[in-house]
Amino acid sequence: MTTRPPAEIGMPLDEVDTPALIIDLDAFERNLARLPARIAGSAVRLRPHAKTHKCPVIALQQVARGAVGVCVQKVGEAEAMVYGGVRDVLVTNEIVGQQKLRRLAALAHIARIGVCADDAGQVGALEAAAAEARVTIPVYVEVNMGGNRCGVEPGEPALNLAGQIADAPHLSFAGLQAYHGSAQHLRGWDERRAAIAQAADKAGSTRDLLARYGIACPVVTGAGTGSFEFETGSGVYTELQCGSYIFMDADYGRNLDHDGAPTKTFEPSLFVWATVMSRPAQERAIVDAGLKALAFDSGPPLVWDEPAASYERASDEHGRLALSAPTNRLYIGDKIRLVPGHCDPTVNLYDWYVGIRNNRVEAIWPITARGAVY
Amino acid sequence: MTTRPPAEIGMPLDEVDTPALIIDLDAFERNLARLPARIAGSAVRLRPHAKTHKCPVIALQQVARGAVGVCVQKVGEAEAMVYGGVRDVLVTNEIVGQQKLRRLAALAHIARIGVCADDAGQVGALEAAAAEARVTIPVYVEVNMGGNRCGVEPGEPALNLAGQIADAPHLSFAGLQAYHGSAQHLRGWDERRAAIAQAADKAGSTRDLLARYGIACPVVTGAGTGSFEFETGSGVYTELQCGSYIFMDADYGRNLDHDGAPTKTFEPSLFVWATVMSRPAQERAIVDAGLKALAFDSGPPLVWDEPAASYERASDEHGRLALSAPTNRLYIGDKIRLVPGHCDPTVNLYDWYVGIRNNRVEAIWPITARGAVY
């Protein structure tokens, strides 16, 4: 189940086989530094979401730049992070089923493993797994911020669940999971600001309600790449869960900043490296990256190196580029960079990152949580 | 880079961890038998597309039921098939770049490996790779059937390329790749019939033109699950490349048959097995299969086991089911089957098939070409 990497260390970029997932290391490192710089001096701490990169090598670089640990969505991702050296992992999700709960509790022997709950029955199942493994698991109450996905409603339902967690002998109540996912891609800055203001109200009033009942809420965790500045300034949130900031993608690139222009807070550093495999007509070039090399849930990729070309249509292993103007590139064998529409599910299609600096392969990092859906 | 399988042989289906890619083996075997039965007595032979299943265990079952070999799209898929015991593989695609051409030629030492071309420069590159490896490679001219993807135009351009292939010392001209991809999902039976009639005209007249110039065209290969009956009856096509027939998917299920009803030629046999991980409201259930467990390029999955539920929205690791009526199922921990919108890119997300019969795990097959994009 292993694939050979599409490159070797030291190889010129032009020789890297395609499709490959490449990282512009200079841009990546700028992104890596920008978010800590933006929140320096505030009260919030960074816990980046590793569901984006699925790679403990990157997680440890985030920790080295001040992150308290990482988030994941799946037990398999938590395993990959812990086995890759990360010591503090929050599963920002409900974990259901005895097999997964046993794996989760086993990890708690060697790392701090937090998890979310939004149901009393689940608190019982978590307690049973923690007791069996003789560990104490920090549990966060997931609160519905308006995305209408998982989560209890703010206020009393959250209070009740927090109380149950606090009463469970092998669980500790650790805080509120208050991520507002559907706010991340609201295009307008004011829209996102308003959505997060509402979320902060819900999270803050819930935290205060808990306090009135004697339940301390040490952490309110949430935020994403699209909204972090609002959570940072909210006075409610204590942790940020941004993931995509290290890579960016075409969809996040369509978000507008406070000046109404597309956001420049972070820059694209992740690309799919593709080859023109057919050039049957002047106005059409076919590349070797299609539905199995790129995620299309947030639209097609951007063609990064060639303004005359746009990615028009995908099939399993083909991408059709439409050429709106003459170009002396995009002949058979030419290689180009594509910016994925959505970075997270695109990363999940690959086993290796190929890190590029000065047009040479400097790093090949295994994506050890690729496919870790369970 | 390996993930543990989500099941063990003999385990009840209910215990299979989720998300998992499960095969209903009875339905799968019915599909496997139906296509050979449908073409029995005709002149066409079956060469199923292995890009659908990416699994030599399945390929060999197809060969055992009369297939002459399989198709693939990528060199990595060809390697997986040959290393899994398949002796005749056609790469229905252009292969560009010296690394890939060397790998392709190396495979030709141990299996029959065909490949497509649509460019004179590519014929030169194929010849060089075949000469270096001291093999002879069968090459098919890909002809544009109207999908405007790869392929030379029918008639003279195809003739010229076939002549170049025939003249190359280490290549043999093997036939025409005449797949009409964009016809597969035309919903109406008459639309598909008309599209394939045009394709057969183009392929047939090109074949006849080649014959007039003394170039024999032993094979005209094409067809898919949506159109195979038309190629079979065309008198032009000699090989069928159907892939999805073994699994079906929600998108193919929307094709209409000659009676105007949704096609019943094949039945869904491939499912994503998912768990309800949150049930925050009566009208909403959240399952653990999202953008990393299902491909969404052809729409959301169908909820197979629960008519009251529809898959409404996906995020990376969540799927939101909308419940239009009360149900006494879909509580936390309940598991359900989802029919993928598009089977091929969904399969590419998994490392294992879990084969189910009589609600027990009977087989666990490795998807060895998962991720074989290069």
Side-chain angles (χ1 to χ4, degrees):
Chain A
M1 319 298 286
T2 244
T3 49
R4 82 167 66 73
E8 288 178 33
I9 302 287
M11 187 181 257
L13 171 59
D14 276 347
E15 291 181 17
V16 173
D17 207 357
T18 64
L21 193 63
I22 63 174
I23 298 178
D24 175 336
L25 290 171
D26 288 332
F28 168 77
E29 290 169 5
R30 285 191 293 269
N31 287 340
L32 209 53
R34 273 176 187 133
L35 184 51
R38 282 286 293 265
I39 64 173
S42 79
V44 302
R45 302 202 296 173
L46 181 58
R47 179 185 287 280
H49 220 303
K51 78 181 175 75
T52 299
H53 55 67
K54 289 177 165 282
C55 174
V57 181
I58 294 178
L60 291 178
Q61 293 180 59
Q62 294 172 314
V63 170
R65 281 164 185 77
V68 296
V70 298
C71 307
V72 299
Q73 292 282 58
K74 297 281 183 165
V75 178
E77 291 177 332
E79 288 169 337
M81 291 301 134
V82 172
Y83 300 160
V86 181
R87 292 277 74 90
D88 185 337
V89 177
L90 167 58
V91 183
T92 56
N93 209 354
E94 286 66 33
I95 298 301
V96 173
Q98 192 183 49
Q99 293 147 313
K100 291 190 181 84
L101 289 170
R102 282 180 159 163
R103 288 163 53 205
L104 187 82
L107 283 182
H109 285 292
I110 48 175
R112 182 186 187 274
I113 306 291
V115 67
C116 295
D118 70 353
D119 177 83
Q122 271 300 106
V123 172
L126 282 165
E127 165 61 24
E132 184 187 73
R134 279 176 247 131
V135 295
T136 299
I137 295 180
V139 180
Y140 299 70
V141 170
E142 179 161 10
V143 185
N144 180 14
M145 292 291 106
N148 294 329
R149 205 168 63 178
C150 300
V152 295
E153 293 304 309
E156 292 237 348
L159 171 66
N160 293 337
L161 202 59
Q164 286 158 7
I165 293 164
D167 290 344
H170 297 86
L171 307 179
S172 63
F173 173 70
L176 301 178
Q177 162 73 6
Y179 175 62
H180 195 346
S182 52
Q184 300 307 314
H185 293 271
L186 296 172
R187 293 303 176 213
W189 189 85
D190 277 327
E191 290 176 280
R192 296 197 301 281
R193 186 180 56 162
I196 299 305
Q198 287 192 350
D201 274 354
K202 291 174 183 173
S205 61
T206 302
R207 175 200 59 187
D208 296 343
L209 178 67
L210 268 61
R212 288 201 295 279
Y213 282 82
I215 300 176
C217 182
V219 169
V220 178
T221 181
T225 298
S227 72
F228 75 92
E229 60 186 310
F230 309 118
E231 283 92 343
T232 301
S234 67
V236 172
Y237 285 84
T238 67
E239 265 186 16
L240 306 181
Q241 301 181 353
C242 310
S244 304
Y245 76 100
I246 51 170
F247 293 148
M248 287 299 284
D249 57 30
D251 200 45
Y252 262 123
R254 287 185 278 268
N255 272 7
L256 305 178
D257 214 335
H258 57 89
D259 58 1
T263 178
K264 300 281 182 224
T265 307
F266 306 105
E267 63 189 297
S269 72
L270 182 82
F271 304 89
V272 168
W273 183 234
T275 298
V276 176
M277 54 185 278
S278 177
R279 183 71 192 276
Q282 268 309 307
E283 72 281 5
R284 180 168 101 236
I286 311 297
V287 296
D288 60 353
L291 298 173
K292 294 178 187 174
L294 290 153
F296 284 80
D297 58 276
S298 301
L302 302 176
V303 181
W304 193 245
D305 298 307
E306 179 52 70
S310 61
Y311 192 109
E312 188 182 39
R313 189 168 193 282
S315 41
D316 278 355
E317 303 283 11
H318 300 81
R320 183 166 73 195
L321 306 188
L323 302 178
S324 59
T327 170
N328 61 357
R329 299 181 53 232
L330 301 183
Y331 294 115
I332 290 175
D334 286 353
K335 294 178 180 176
I336 55 160
R337 290 188 292 177
L338 304 171
V339 180
H342 187 181
C343 56
D344 301 35
T346 297
V347 166
N348 189 47
L349 299 169
Y350 292 86
D351 290 296
W352 305 94
Y353 291 110
V354 179
I356 305 291
R357 201 182 321 260
N358 299 327
N359 281 312
R360 293 218 160 244
V361 177
E362 180 177 302
I364 299 177
W365 296 331
I367 306 174
T368 52
R370 195 277 320 150
V373 283
Y374 47 89
Chain B
M1 320 297 288
T2 244
T3 50
R4 83 167 66 73
E8 288 178 31
I9 303 286
M11 187 180 259
L13 171 59
D14 276 347
E15 291 181 17
V16 173
D17 207 357
T18 65
L21 193 63
I22 63 174
I23 298 178
D24 174 337
L25 290 172
D26 289 331
F28 168 78
E29 289 169 5
R30 286 192 293 269
N31 287 340
L32 209 53
R34 272 176 187 133
L35 184 51
R38 282 286 294 265
I39 64 173
S42 79
V44 302
R45 302 200 298 173
L46 181 59
R47 180 185 287 280
H49 219 304
K51 79 181 174 74
T52 299
H53 55 67
K54 290 179 165 280
C55 174
V57 181
I58 293 178
L60 291 178
Q61 293 179 60
Q62 294 173 314
V63 170
R65 280 164 185 77
V68 297
V70 298
C71 307
V72 299
Q73 292 282 58
K74 296 281 182 163
V75 178
E77 291 177 332
E79 289 169 335
M81 291 300 134
V82 171
Y83 301 160
V86 181
R87 292 276 73 90
D88 186 337
V89 177
L90 167 58
V91 184
T92 55
N93 209 354
E94 286 66 31
I95 298 302
V96 173
Q98 192 182 50
Q99 293 147 312
K100 291 191 181 83
L101 288 170
R102 283 179 158 164
R103 287 163 54 205
L104 188 82
L107 283 182
H109 285 292
I110 48 173
R112 181 186 188 275
I113 306 291
V115 66
C116 295
D118 71 353
D119 178 83
Q122 271 299 107
V123 172
L126 281 165
E127 165 61 23
E132 184 186 74
R134 280 176 247 131
V135 295
T136 299
I137 295 181
V139 180
Y140 299 69
V141 170
E142 180 162 8
V143 185
N144 180 15
M145 290 291 106
N148 295 329
R149 204 169 64 178
C150 301
V152 295
E153 293 304 309
E156 292 237 348
L159 171 66
N160 293 337
L161 202 59
Q164 286 159 7
I165 294 164
D167 290 344
H170 296 85
L171 307 179
S172 63
F173 173 69
L176 301 178
Q177 162 73 5
Y179 175 62
H180 195 345
S182 51
Q184 300 307 314
H185 292 273
L186 297 173
R187 292 303 176 213
W189 188 85
D190 277 327
E191 289 176 281
R192 296 197 300 281
R193 187 181 56 164
I196 299 304
Q198 287 192 351
D201 274 354
K202 292 174 183 172
S205 61
T206 302
R207 175 199 61 187
D208 296 344
L209 178 68
L210 268 61
R212 289 201 294 280
Y213 282 84
I215 301 176
C217 183
V219 169
V220 177
T221 181
T225 297
S227 72
F228 75 92
E229 61 185 309
F230 309 117
E231 284 92 344
T232 301
S234 67
V236 172
Y237 285 84
T238 67
E239 265 186 15
L240 305 181
Q241 300 181 354
C242 310
S244 304
Y245 76 101
I246 52 170
F247 293 149
M248 288 297 284
D249 57 30
D251 199 46
Y252 262 124
R254 286 185 277 269
N255 272 9
L256 304 178
D257 214 334
H258 58 88
D259 58 1
T263 178
K264 300 282 183 221
T265 307
F266 305 105
E267 63 190 297
S269 73
L270 182 82
F271 303 89
V272 169
W273 183 233
T275 298
V276 176
M277 53 185 278
S278 178
R279 183 71 192 276
Q282 268 308 308
E283 72 281 6
R284 182 168 100 234
I286 311 297
V287 295
D288 60 354
L291 298 173
K292 294 179 187 172
L294 290 152
F296 284 81
D297 58 277
S298 301
L302 302 176
V303 181
W304 193 245
D305 299 307
E306 179 53 68
S310 61
Y311 193 109
E312 187 181 40
R313 189 168 192 281
S315 42
D316 278 355
E317 303 284 11
H318 299 82
R320 184 167 71 197
L321 307 188
L323 301 179
S324 60
T327 170
N328 61 355
R329 300 178 54 231
L330 300 183
Y331 294 114
I332 290 175
D334 286 354
K335 295 178 178 176
I336 56 160
R337 290 188 292 177
L338 304 170
V339 180
H342 187 181
C343 55
D344 301 35
T346 297
V347 166
N348 189 47
L349 299 169
Y350 292 87
D351 290 297
W352 305 95
Y353 291 110
V354 179
I356 305 291
R357 200 180 326 258
N358 299 326
N359 281 312
R360 292 215 162 247
V361 176
E362 180 176 303
I364 299 178
W365 296 331
I367 306 175
T368 52
R370 196 276 321 149
V373 284
Y374 48 89

